Amino acid sequence: MRVIGWLLLGLLAIFAAYCLLLAVSALLVSTKKEYRHDSPFYRWLLDSSIRLAVPILRIHVDVRGLEQLPQDTPVFFVGNHRSNFDPILTWYVLRKYRIGYLSKAENFRIPLYGRIIRRCGCTAIDRENPRNAVVTIRAAADRLQAAEGSVGAYPEGTRNKAAVGLLPFHNGLFKTAKWAHTPIAVLALDGTEMIAKNYPLRSTRVTLSVAGVLTAEEVDAMSTAEIGAKVRALLEAALPDARSQTFEGAGI
């Protein structure tokens, strides 16, 4: 019993040291500075945190269709958005693609996490000011063109709290891929809205499927509205409830 006690104490000490490392590292990140390049150290911090959190939160992820993804080029990842866990689990499954997200400004004010994602290629997008949003989209396209990593975004622009159907798309986001001449991978996530409801009493099974991939040539040949329609069709085909509620497209 004493050995078990010492082991538990050692694990607790390691966890406390790791939490201290997270806190100190986060405080070293300026909230007033735009970081245009990834930090391998901060990406490791975020990767390791997510890899610890997934089993603790009792999440099981079924992954389908990864063989469709390009292997030798950055990718613009888009998908449906039902939960705050969507980008976390996408990051978890697709670590090797070094995704940096276009995200709402509020996410960068989350304690610790909001600072760390600033150093991992994530950028706040101004949803109220189209001119500022275009500047952010251009920066994301530059990231793709420079092969610094992939980019992720949610065309719905916010979480679909109804957890059925698809909200209106902000088709301007697809300029990211057009300007970078980059393929678009469409990801369908199902079940993430149940994680917070189930924990801690029950585990949650989530499905992440690659609904389809638009090649760079296809992206170049299509308008952003056409891309939005294609992405919506792929998601509707991949998600069992997506056809039950659809909306007209939105602006940027």
Side-chain angles (χ1 to χ4, degrees):
M1 292 296 293
R2 292 183 64 182
V3 172
I4 294 176
W6 280 111
L7 284 174
L8 290 175
L9 186 61
L11 290 173
L12 184 61
I14 292 172
F15 180 72
Y18 180 75
C19 290
L20 180 61
L21 176 64
L22 276 176
V24 172
S25 299
L27 290 175
L28 293 175
V29 178
S30 172
T31 59
K32 298 180 180 180
K33 181 179 178 180
E34 288 290 335
Y35 296 93
R36 293 300 184 187
H37 303 287
D38 271 23
S39 162
F41 171 71
Y42 281 93
R43 187 166 284 273
W44 171 82
L45 273 182
L46 192 56
D47 282 347
S48 58
S49 298
I50 292 173
R51 294 175 79 169
L52 283 171
V54 168
I56 290 173
L57 293 172
R58 305 181 66 189
I59 302 170
H60 304 282
V61 186
D62 293 329
V63 183
R64 303 171 184 173
L66 288 187
E67 69 279 357
Q68 300 181 60
L69 295 178
Q71 300 298 315
D72 56 354
T73 184
V75 179
F76 185 47
F77 289 98
V78 299
N80 61 306
H81 194 18
R82 296 182 176 179
S83 164
N84 289 329
F85 288 100
D86 294 340
I88 294 171
L89 293 180
T90 302
W91 188 296
Y92 173 73
V93 172
L94 301 174
R95 289 187 294 275
K96 75 173 188 176
Y97 286 91
R98 294 171 41 241
I99 302 174
Y101 276 95
L102 296 177
S103 183
K104 61 184 180 181
E106 293 88 336
N107 288 337
F108 293 85
R109 293 194 285 270
I110 298 174
L112 301 185
Y113 172 80
R115 288 174 177 256
I116 290 174
I117 62 175
R118 288 177 179 273
R119 298 304 316 273
C120 297
C122 298
T123 309
I125 188 165
D126 189 340
R127 297 182 296 178
E128 305 300 325
N129 188 317
R131 181 173 296 180
N132 290 344
V134 168
V135 172
T136 302
I137 290 170
R138 173 59 73 182
D142 290 344
R143 171 183 171 84
L144 289 167
Q145 278 191 309
E148 293 182 359
S150 296
V151 173
Y154 295 102
E156 292 171 283
T158 189
R159 284 179 295 134
N160 181 358
K161 296 179 181 179
V164 293
L166 296 168
L167 297 178
F169 278 7
H170 297 264
N171 289 329
L173 282 174
F174 299 119
K175 293 177 182 177
T176 307
K178 286 187 69 67
W179 288 342
H181 310 290
T182 300
I184 296 175
V186 183
L187 306 178
L189 273 160
D190 190 29
T192 54
E193 72 280 0
M194 297 303 299
I195 296 171
K197 297 177 182 178
N198 288 342
Y199 186 78
L201 298 179
R202 289 180 291 178
S203 62
T204 304
R205 186 164 294 278
V206 172
T207 301
L208 188 154
S209 305
V210 179
V213 176
L214 303 182
T215 66
E217 292 74 20
E218 289 175 312
V219 170
D220 287 343
M222 300 167 73
S223 68
T224 55
E226 290 171 331
I227 294 172
K230 179 65 174 179
V231 169
R232 180 178 290 275
L234 288 170
L235 287 172
E236 287 177 345
L239 294 167
D241 57 13
R243 293 179 181 273
S244 62
Q245 183 180 2
T246 56
F247 302 84
E248 295 298 323
I252 195 168

Coordinates of all heavy atoms in Angstrom, one line a residue, residues 70-151:
P70 N -5.0 14.6 -48.7 CA -3.7 14.8 -49.3 C -2.6 14.6 -48.2 O -2.8 15.0 -47.1 CB -3.8 16.3 -49.8 CG -5.2 16.6 -49.9 CD -5.9 15.8 -48.8
Q71 N -1.5 14.0 -48.7 CA -0.5 13.7 -47.7 C 0.8 14.6 -47.8 O 1.6 14.6 -46.9 CB 0.0 12.2 -47.9 CG -1.1 11.2 -47.8 CD -1.6 11.2 -46.3 OE1 -0.9 11.2 -45.4 NE2 -3.0 11.1 -46.2
D72 N 0.8 15.4 -48.9 CA 2.1 16.1 -49.2 C 1.9 17.6 -49.3 O 2.7 18.3 -49.9 CB 2.8 15.6 -50.4 CG 1.9 15.6 -51.6 OD1 0.7 15.9 -51.5 OD2 2.4 15.3 -52.7
T73 N 0.8 18.1 -48.8 CA 0.5 19.5 -49.0 C -0.4 20.0 -47.8 O -1.2 19.3 -47.3 CB -0.2 19.8 -50.3 OG1 -0.4 21.2 -50.5 CG2 -1.6 19.1 -50.4
P74 N -0.3 21.3 -47.5 CA -1.2 21.9 -46.5 C -2.7 21.8 -47.0 O -2.9 21.8 -48.2 CB -0.8 23.3 -46.3 CG 0.7 23.3 -46.7 CD 0.7 22.3 -47.8
V75 N -3.6 21.7 -46.1 CA -5.0 21.6 -46.4 C -5.9 22.6 -45.7 O -5.6 23.0 -44.6 CB -5.5 20.1 -46.1 CG1 -7.0 20.0 -46.4 CG2 -4.7 19.1 -46.7
F76 N -6.9 23.1 -46.4 CA -7.9 23.9 -45.7 C -9.0 23.0 -45.2 O -9.8 22.5 -46.0 CB -8.4 25.0 -46.7 CG -9.4 26.0 -46.0 CD1 -9.1 26.6 -44.8 CD2 -10.6 26.3 -46.6 CE1 -9.9 27.5 -44.2 CE2 -11.4 27.3 -46.1 CZ -11.1 27.9 -44.9
F77 N -9.1 22.8 -43.9 CA -10.1 21.9 -43.3 C -11.4 22.7 -42.9 O -11.3 23.7 -42.2 CB -9.6 21.2 -42.1 CG -8.5 20.2 -42.4 CD1 -7.2 20.5 -42.2 CD2 -8.9 18.9 -42.7 CE1 -6.2 19.6 -42.5 CE2 -7.9 18.0 -43.0 CZ -6.6 18.3 -42.9
V78 N -12.5 22.3 -43.4 CA -13.8 22.9 -43.0 C -14.8 21.8 -42.5 O -14.6 20.6 -42.9 CB -14.4 23.7 -44.1 CG1 -13.5 24.8 -44.6 CG2 -14.8 22.8 -45.3
G79 N -15.8 22.2 -41.8 CA -16.7 21.2 -41.3 C -17.9 21.8 -40.6 O -18.0 23.0 -40.5
N80 N -18.8 20.9 -40.1 CA -19.9 21.4 -39.3 C -19.5 21.7 -37.9 O -18.4 21.2 -37.5 CB -21.0 20.4 -39.3 CG -20.6 19.0 -38.7 OD1 -19.6 18.5 -39.1 ND2 -21.3 18.6 -37.7
H81 N -20.3 22.5 -37.2 CA -19.8 23.0 -35.9 C -21.0 22.9 -34.9 O -21.9 23.7 -34.9 CB -19.3 24.4 -36.0 CG -18.6 24.9 -34.8 ND1 -18.0 24.1 -33.9 CD2 -18.2 26.2 -34.4 CE1 -17.3 24.8 -33.0 NE2 -17.5 26.1 -33.3
R82 N -20.8 21.9 -33.9 CA -21.9 21.7 -33.0 C -21.4 21.9 -31.5 O -22.2 21.9 -30.6 CB -22.4 20.3 -33.1 CG -23.1 20.1 -34.5 CD -23.7 18.7 -34.6 NE -24.5 18.5 -35.8 CZ -25.1 17.4 -36.1 NH1 -25.0 16.3 -35.3 NH2 -25.7 17.3 -37.3
S83 N -20.1 21.9 -31.3 CA -19.6 21.9 -29.9 C -18.2 22.6 -29.9 O -17.5 22.6 -30.9 CB -19.5 20.5 -29.4 OG -18.7 20.4 -28.3
N84 N -17.9 23.1 -28.7 CA -16.5 23.6 -28.5 C -15.5 22.5 -28.6 O -14.3 22.8 -28.7 CB -16.4 24.3 -27.1 CG -17.2 25.6 -27.1 OD1 -17.3 26.3 -28.1 ND2 -17.7 25.9 -25.9
F85 N -15.9 21.3 -28.6 CA -14.9 20.1 -28.7 C -14.6 19.8 -30.1 O -13.7 19.1 -30.4 CB -15.5 18.9 -28.0 CG -15.6 18.9 -26.5 CD1 -16.8 19.2 -25.9 CD2 -14.4 18.7 -25.8 CE1 -16.8 19.3 -24.5 CE2 -14.5 18.8 -24.4 CZ -15.6 19.1 -23.7
D86 N -15.3 20.4 -31.1 CA -15.0 20.1 -32.5 C -13.6 20.4 -32.9 O -12.9 19.5 -33.4 CB -16.0 20.9 -33.4 CG -17.4 20.5 -33.3 OD1 -17.7 19.4 -32.8 OD2 -18.3 21.3 -33.6
P87 N -13.0 21.6 -32.7 CA -11.6 21.9 -33.1 C -10.7 21.1 -32.2 O -9.6 20.6 -32.7 CB -11.4 23.4 -32.8 CG -12.5 23.7 -31.9 CD -13.7 22.8 -32.1
I88 N -11.0 20.8 -31.0 CA -10.1 20.0 -30.1 C -9.9 18.6 -30.6 O -8.8 18.1 -30.7 CB -10.7 20.0 -28.7 CG1 -10.6 21.4 -28.1 CG2 -9.9 19.0 -27.8 CD1 -11.3 21.6 -26.8
L89 N -11.0 18.0 -31.0 CA -10.9 16.6 -31.5 C -10.4 16.5 -32.9 O -9.7 15.5 -33.2 CB -12.3 15.9 -31.4 CG -12.9 15.7 -30.0 CD1 -14.3 15.1 -30.1 CD2 -11.9 14.9 -29.2
T90 N -10.6 17.5 -33.7 CA -10.0 17.6 -35.0 C -8.5 17.7 -34.9 O -7.7 17.0 -35.6 CB -10.6 18.7 -35.9 OG1 -12.0 18.6 -36.0 CG2 -10.0 18.7 -37.2
W91 N -8.1 18.6 -34.0 CA -6.6 18.7 -33.7 C -6.1 17.4 -33.2 O -5.0 17.0 -33.7 CB -6.5 19.8 -32.7 CG -5.1 20.3 -32.4 CD1 -4.1 19.5 -31.9 CD2 -4.5 21.6 -32.6 NE1 -2.9 20.3 -31.7 CE2 -3.2 21.5 -32.1 CE3 -5.1 22.8 -33.0 CZ2 -2.4 22.7 -32.2 CZ3 -4.3 23.9 -33.1 CH2 -2.9 23.8 -32.6
Y92 N -6.8 16.7 -32.4 CA -6.3 15.4 -31.8 C -6.1 14.4 -32.9 O -5.1 13.7 -32.9 CB -7.4 15.0 -30.8 CG -7.2 13.6 -30.2 CD1 -6.2 13.4 -29.3 CD2 -8.0 12.5 -30.6 CE1 -6.0 12.1 -28.7 CE2 -7.8 11.3 -30.1 CZ -6.8 11.1 -29.1 OH -6.7 9.8 -28.6
V93 N -7.1 14.3 -33.8 CA -7.0 13.2 -34.8 C -6.0 13.6 -35.9 O -5.3 12.7 -36.4 CB -8.4 13.0 -35.5 CG1 -8.3 12.1 -36.7 CG2 -9.3 12.4 -34.4
L94 N -5.9 14.9 -36.3 CA -5.1 15.3 -37.4 C -3.9 16.1 -37.0 O -3.5 17.1 -37.6 CB -6.0 16.2 -38.4 CG -7.2 15.5 -38.9 CD1 -8.1 16.4 -39.7 CD2 -6.8 14.3 -39.8
R95 N -3.2 15.7 -36.0 CA -2.1 16.4 -35.4 C -1.0 16.7 -36.5 O -0.4 17.7 -36.5 CB -1.4 15.6 -34.2 CG -2.3 15.6 -33.0 CD -1.5 15.0 -31.8 NE -1.2 13.6 -32.1 CZ -2.1 12.6 -31.8 NH1 -3.3 12.8 -31.3 NH2 -1.8 11.3 -32.0
K96 N -0.8 15.7 -37.3 CA 0.4 15.8 -38.3 C 0.1 16.9 -39.3 O 1.1 17.4 -39.9 CB 0.6 14.5 -39.0 CG -0.4 14.2 -40.1 CD 0.1 12.9 -40.8 CE -0.8 12.6 -42.0 NZ -0.3 11.5 -42.8
Y97 N -1.1 17.4 -39.4 CA -1.4 18.5 -40.4 C -1.1 19.9 -39.8 O -1.3 20.9 -40.5 CB -2.8 18.4 -40.9 CG -3.0 17.3 -41.9 CD1 -3.4 16.0 -41.4 CD2 -2.8 17.5 -43.2 CE1 -3.5 14.9 -42.3 CE2 -2.9 16.4 -44.1 CZ -3.3 15.1 -43.7 OH -3.4 14.1 -44.6
R98 N -0.8 20.0 -38.5 CA -0.5 21.2 -37.9 C -1.5 22.3 -38.2 O -1.2 23.4 -38.8 CB 1.0 21.6 -38.3 CG 2.0 20.7 -37.8 CD 3.4 20.9 -38.3 NE 3.8 22.3 -38.4 CZ 4.1 22.9 -39.5 NH1 4.1 22.2 -40.7 NH2 4.5 24.2 -39.5
I99 N -2.7 22.1 -37.8 CA -3.8 23.0 -38.1 C -3.7 24.2 -37.3 O -3.5 24.2 -36.0 CB -5.2 22.3 -37.9 CG1 -5.3 21.0 -38.8 CG2 -6.3 23.3 -38.3 CD1 -6.5 20.2 -38.5
G100 N -3.9 25.4 -37.9 CA -4.1 26.6 -37.2 C -5.5 27.1 -37.5 O -5.9 27.2 -38.7
Y101 N -6.3 27.4 -36.5 CA -7.8 27.7 -36.8 C -8.0 29.2 -36.9 O -7.4 30.1 -36.3 CB -8.6 27.2 -35.6 CG -9.0 25.8 -35.8 CD1 -8.2 24.8 -35.2 CD2 -10.1 25.4 -36.6 CE1 -8.6 23.4 -35.4 CE2 -10.4 24.1 -36.8 CZ -9.7 23.1 -36.2 OH -10.0 21.8 -36.3
L102 N -9.0 29.5 -37.8 CA -9.6 30.8 -37.8 C -10.7 30.8 -36.8 O -11.7 29.9 -37.0 CB -10.2 31.2 -39.2 CG -9.1 31.3 -40.3 CD1 -9.9 31.5 -41.7 CD2 -8.2 32.4 -40.1
S103 N -10.7 31.6 -35.8 CA -11.6 31.4 -34.7 C -12.1 32.7 -34.2 O -11.5 33.8 -34.4 CB -10.9 30.7 -33.5 OG -11.7 30.5 -32.4
K104 N -13.3 32.7 -33.5 CA -13.9 34.0 -33.0 C -13.0 34.5 -31.9 O -12.3 33.8 -31.2 CB -15.3 33.7 -32.5 CG -15.4 32.7 -31.4 CD -16.9 32.5 -31.0 CE -17.0 31.5 -29.9 NZ -18.4 31.2 -29.5
A105 N -13.0 35.8 -31.7 CA -12.1 36.5 -30.8 C -12.3 36.0 -29.4 O -11.4 36.0 -28.6 CB -12.3 38.0 -30.9
E106 N -13.6 35.6 -29.0 CA -13.8 35.2 -27.6 C -13.0 34.1 -27.2 O -12.6 33.9 -26.0 CB -15.3 34.9 -27.5 CG -16.3 36.0 -27.6 CD -16.7 36.3 -29.1 OE1 -15.9 35.9 -30.0 OE2 -17.8 36.9 -29.3
N107 N -12.6 33.2 -28.1 CA -11.8 32.0 -27.8 C -10.4 32.4 -27.3 O -9.8 31.6 -26.6 CB -11.8 31.0 -29.0 CG -13.1 30.3 -29.2 OD1 -13.9 30.2 -28.3 ND2 -13.3 29.9 -30.4
F108 N -10.0 33.5 -27.8 CA -8.6 33.9 -27.4 C -8.6 34.6 -26.0 O -7.5 35.0 -25.5 CB -8.0 34.9 -28.4 CG -7.8 34.2 -29.8 CD1 -8.8 34.0 -30.7 CD2 -6.6 33.6 -30.0 CE1 -8.6 33.4 -31.9 CE2 -6.3 33.0 -31.2 CZ -7.4 32.9 -32.2
R109 N -9.8 34.7 -25.4 CA -9.8 35.2 -24.0 C -10.0 34.1 -23.0 O -10.2 34.4 -21.8 CB -11.0 36.3 -23.9 CG -10.7 37.5 -24.8 CD -11.6 38.7 -24.4 NE -12.9 38.5 -25.0 CZ -13.3 38.9 -26.1 NH1 -12.5 39.6 -26.9 NH2 -14.6 38.7 -26.6
I110 N -10.1 32.9 -23.4 CA -10.2 31.8 -22.5 C -8.9 31.7 -21.7 O -7.8 31.7 -22.3 CB -10.4 30.4 -23.2 CG1 -11.8 30.5 -24.0 CG2 -10.5 29.3 -22.3 CD1 -12.0 29.3 -24.9
P111 N -8.9 31.6 -20.4 CA -7.7 31.5 -19.6 C -6.8 30.4 -20.0 O -7.2 29.3 -20.3 CB -8.2 31.3 -18.2 CG -9.6 31.9 -18.2 CD -10.2 31.6 -19.5
L112 N -5.5 30.7 -20.1 CA -4.4 29.8 -20.5 C -4.6 29.3 -22.0 O -3.7 29.6 -22.8 CB -4.4 28.5 -19.6 CG -4.1 28.8 -18.1 CD1 -4.0 27.5 -17.4 CD2 -2.9 29.7 -17.9
Y113 N -5.7 28.6 -22.3 CA -5.9 28.1 -23.6 C -5.9 29.2 -24.7 O -5.3 29.0 -25.7 CB -7.2 27.3 -23.6 CG -7.7 26.9 -25.0 CD1 -7.2 25.7 -25.6 CD2 -8.7 27.6 -25.7 CE1 -7.6 25.3 -26.8 CE2 -9.1 27.1 -26.9 CZ -8.6 26.0 -27.5 OH -9.0 25.6 -28.7
G114 N -6.5 30.3 -24.4 CA -6.6 31.4 -25.3 C -5.2 32.0 -25.7 O -5.0 32.4 -26.8
R115 N -4.3 32.0 -24.7 CA -3.0 32.5 -25.0 C -2.2 31.5 -25.8 O -1.4 31.8 -26.7 CB -2.3 32.8 -23.7 CG -2.8 34.1 -23.0 CD -2.2 34.2 -21.6 NE -2.6 35.5 -20.9 CZ -1.9 36.6 -20.8 NH1 -0.7 36.6 -21.3 NH2 -2.3 37.6 -20.2
I116 N -2.3 30.2 -25.4 CA -1.5 29.2 -26.0 C -1.8 29.0 -27.5 O -0.9 28.9 -28.4 CB -1.7 27.8 -25.3 CG1 -1.0 27.9 -23.9 CG2 -1.1 26.7 -26.1 CD1 -1.2 26.7 -23.0
I117 N -3.1 29.1 -27.9 CA -3.5 28.9 -29.3 C -3.0 30.0 -30.1 O -2.8 29.9 -31.4 CB -5.0 28.7 -29.5 CG1 -5.8 30.0 -29.0 CG2 -5.5 27.5 -28.8 CD1 -7.3 29.9 -29.3
R118 N -2.6 31.2 -29.5 CA -2.0 32.3 -30.3 C -0.7 31.9 -30.9 O -0.3 32.4 -31.9 CB -1.8 33.5 -29.4 CG -3.1 34.3 -29.0 CD -2.8 35.4 -28.1 NE -4.0 36.1 -27.7 CZ -4.5 37.1 -28.4 NH1 -3.9 37.6 -29.5 NH2 -5.6 37.7 -28.1
R119 N 0.0 31.0 -30.2 CA 1.3 30.6 -30.6 C 1.3 29.3 -31.5 O 2.3 28.7 -31.8 CB 2.2 30.3 -29.4 CG 2.5 31.5 -28.6 CD 3.1 32.7 -29.3 NE 4.1 32.3 -30.3 CZ 5.4 32.2 -30.0 NH1 5.8 32.5 -28.7 NH2 6.3 31.9 -30.9
C120 N 0.1 28.9 -31.8 CA -0.1 27.6 -32.6 C -0.8 27.9 -34.0 O -1.5 27.0 -34.5 CB -0.9 26.6 -31.8 SG -0.2 26.1 -30.3
G121 N -0.6 29.0 -34.5 CA -1.1 29.3 -35.8 C -2.5 29.7 -35.9 O -3.1 29.8 -37.0
C122 N -3.2 29.9 -34.7 CA -4.6 30.2 -34.7 C -4.7 31.8 -34.7 O -3.9 32.5 -34.1 CB -5.3 29.7 -33.4 SG -5.2 27.9 -33.4
T123 N -5.8 32.2 -35.4 CA -6.0 33.7 -35.6 C -7.4 34.0 -35.4 O -8.3 33.3 -35.8 CB -5.6 34.1 -37.1 OG1 -4.3 33.6 -37.4 CG2 -5.6 35.6 -37.2
A124 N -7.6 35.2 -34.7 CA -9.0 35.7 -34.5 C -9.5 36.3 -35.7 O -8.8 37.1 -36.4 CB -9.0 36.6 -33.3
I125 N -10.8 36.0 -36.0 CA -11.4 36.6 -37.2 C -12.5 37.5 -36.7 O -13.3 37.1 -35.8 CB -11.9 35.5 -38.2 CG1 -12.4 36.2 -39.5 CG2 -13.0 34.7 -37.6 CD1 -12.6 35.2 -40.6
D126 N -12.6 38.7 -37.2 CA -13.6 39.7 -36.9 C -14.9 39.5 -37.6 O -14.9 39.8 -38.8 CB -13.0 41.1 -37.1 CG -13.9 42.2 -36.5 OD1 -15.1 41.9 -36.3 OD2 -13.4 43.3 -36.3
R127 N -15.9 38.9 -37.0 CA -17.1 38.5 -37.7 C -18.0 39.7 -37.9 O -19.0 39.6 -38.7 CB -17.8 37.5 -36.9 CG -17.1 36.1 -36.8 CD -17.8 35.1 -36.0 NE -18.1 35.5 -34.7 CZ -18.8 34.7 -33.8 NH1 -19.3 33.6 -34.2 NH2 -19.0 35.1 -32.6
E128 N -17.7 40.8 -37.3 CA -18.5 42.0 -37.4 C -18.0 43.0 -38.4 O -18.7 43.9 -38.9 CB -18.6 42.8 -36.0 CG -19.1 41.9 -34.9 CD -20.5 41.3 -35.2 OE1 -21.3 42.0 -35.8 OE2 -20.8 40.1 -34.8
N129 N -16.7 42.9 -38.8 CA -16.1 43.8 -39.7 C -15.5 43.1 -40.9 O -14.5 42.5 -40.8 CB -15.0 44.6 -39.0 CG -14.4 45.7 -39.9 OD1 -14.2 45.6 -41.0 ND2 -14.2 46.9 -39.2
P130 N -16.2 43.1 -42.1 CA -15.8 42.3 -43.2 C -14.4 42.7 -43.7 O -13.6 41.8 -44.2 CB -16.8 42.6 -44.3 CG -18.1 43.0 -43.5 CD -17.5 43.7 -42.3
R131 N -14.0 44.0 -43.6 CA -12.7 44.4 -44.1 C -11.6 43.7 -43.2 O -10.6 43.2 -43.7 CB -12.6 45.9 -44.0 CG -11.2 46.4 -44.5 CD -11.2 47.9 -44.6 NE -12.2 48.4 -45.6 CZ -12.4 49.7 -45.9 NH1 -11.7 50.6 -45.2 NH2 -13.3 50.0 -46.8
N132 N -11.8 43.7 -41.9 CA -10.8 43.1 -41.0 C -10.8 41.6 -41.3 O -9.7 40.9 -41.2 CB -11.1 43.4 -39.6 CG -10.9 44.8 -39.2 OD1 -10.2 45.5 -39.9 ND2 -11.5 45.2 -38.1
A133 N -12.0 41.0 -41.5 CA -12.0 39.6 -41.8 C -11.2 39.2 -43.0 O -10.6 38.1 -43.0 CB -13.5 39.1 -41.9
V134 N -11.3 40.0 -44.0 CA -10.5 39.7 -45.3 C -9.0 39.7 -45.0 O -8.3 38.9 -45.6 CB -10.9 40.7 -46.4 CG1 -9.9 40.7 -47.5 CG2 -12.3 40.5 -46.9
V135 N -8.6 40.6 -44.2 CA -7.1 40.7 -43.8 C -6.7 39.4 -43.1 O -5.7 38.8 -43.4 CB -6.9 41.9 -42.9 CG1 -5.4 41.8 -42.3 CG2 -7.1 43.2 -43.6
T136 N -7.6 38.9 -42.2 CA -7.3 37.6 -41.6 C -7.3 36.4 -42.5 O -6.4 35.6 -42.4 CB -8.3 37.4 -40.4 OG1 -8.3 38.5 -39.5 CG2 -8.0 36.1 -39.7
I137 N -8.3 36.4 -43.4 CA -8.3 35.4 -44.4 C -7.1 35.4 -45.3 O -6.5 34.3 -45.7 CB -9.6 35.5 -45.3 CG1 -10.8 35.2 -44.4 CG2 -9.6 34.6 -46.5 CD1 -12.2 35.5 -45.0
R138 N -6.6 36.6 -45.7 CA -5.4 36.7 -46.5 C -4.2 36.1 -45.7 O -3.4 35.4 -46.3 CB -5.2 38.1 -46.9 CG -3.8 38.4 -47.5 CD -3.7 37.6 -48.8 NE -4.5 38.2 -49.9 CZ -4.6 37.6 -51.1 NH1 -3.8 36.5 -51.4 NH2 -5.3 38.1 -52.0
A139 N -4.1 36.4 -44.4 CA -3.0 35.9 -43.6 C -3.1 34.4 -43.5 O -2.0 33.7 -43.6 CB -3.1 36.5 -42.2
A140 N -4.3 33.8 -43.5 CA -4.4 32.4 -43.4 C -4.0 31.7 -44.8 O -3.4 30.7 -44.8 CB -5.9 32.0 -43.1
A141 N -4.3 32.4 -45.9 CA -3.9 31.9 -47.2 C -2.4 32.0 -47.3 O -1.8 31.1 -47.9 CB -4.6 32.8 -48.3
D142 N -1.8 33.0 -46.7 CA -0.3 33.1 -46.8 C 0.3 31.9 -46.0 O 1.3 31.4 -46.4 CB 0.1 34.4 -46.2 CG -0.2 35.6 -47.0 OD1 -0.5 35.4 -48.2 OD2 -0.2 36.8 -46.5
R143 N -0.3 31.5 -44.9 CA 0.2 30.4 -44.1 C 0.1 29.1 -44.9 O 1.1 28.4 -44.9 CB -0.7 30.2 -42.8 CG -0.4 29.0 -42.0 CD -1.4 28.8 -40.8 NE -1.3 27.5 -40.2 CZ -0.4 27.2 -39.3 NH1 0.5 28.1 -38.9 NH2 -0.3 26.0 -38.7
L144 N -0.9 28.9 -45.7 CA -1.0 27.8 -46.5 C 0.0 27.8 -47.6 O 0.6 26.8 -47.9 CB -2.5 27.7 -47.1 CG -3.6 27.3 -46.1 CD1 -4.9 27.6 -46.8 CD2 -3.5 25.9 -45.7
Q145 N 0.1 28.9 -48.3 CA 1.0 29.1 -49.4 C 2.5 28.8 -49.0 O 3.3 28.3 -49.7 CB 0.9 30.4 -50.1 CG -0.3 30.5 -51.1 CD -0.2 31.8 -51.9 OE1 -0.1 32.9 -51.3 NE2 -0.3 31.6 -53.2
A146 N 2.8 29.3 -47.8 CA 4.2 29.1 -47.3 C 4.4 27.7 -46.7 O 5.5 27.5 -46.2 CB 4.4 30.2 -46.2
A147 N 3.4 26.9 -46.7 CA 3.5 25.5 -46.2 C 3.9 25.5 -44.7 O 4.6 24.6 -44.3 CB 4.5 24.7 -47.0
E148 N 3.5 26.5 -44.0 CA 3.8 26.5 -42.5 C 2.8 25.6 -41.8 O 3.1 25.3 -40.6 CB 3.6 28.0 -42.0 CG 4.6 28.9 -42.5 CD 4.5 30.3 -42.0 OE1 3.6 30.5 -41.1 OE2 5.3 31.2 -42.3
G149 N 1.7 25.2 -42.4 CA 0.8 24.3 -41.7 C -0.6 24.4 -42.4 O -0.7 25.3 -43.3
S150 N -1.5 23.6 -42.0 CA -2.8 23.7 -42.5 C -3.7 24.7 -41.8 O -3.2 25.3 -40.8 CB -3.5 22.3 -42.4 OG -2.8 21.4 -43.3
V151 N -4.9 25.0 -42.3 CA -5.8 26.0 -41.7 C -7.1 25.3 -41.5 O -7.6 24.5 -42.4 CB -5.9 27.2 -42.5 CG1 -7.0 28.2 -42.0 CG2 -4.6 28.0 -42.6

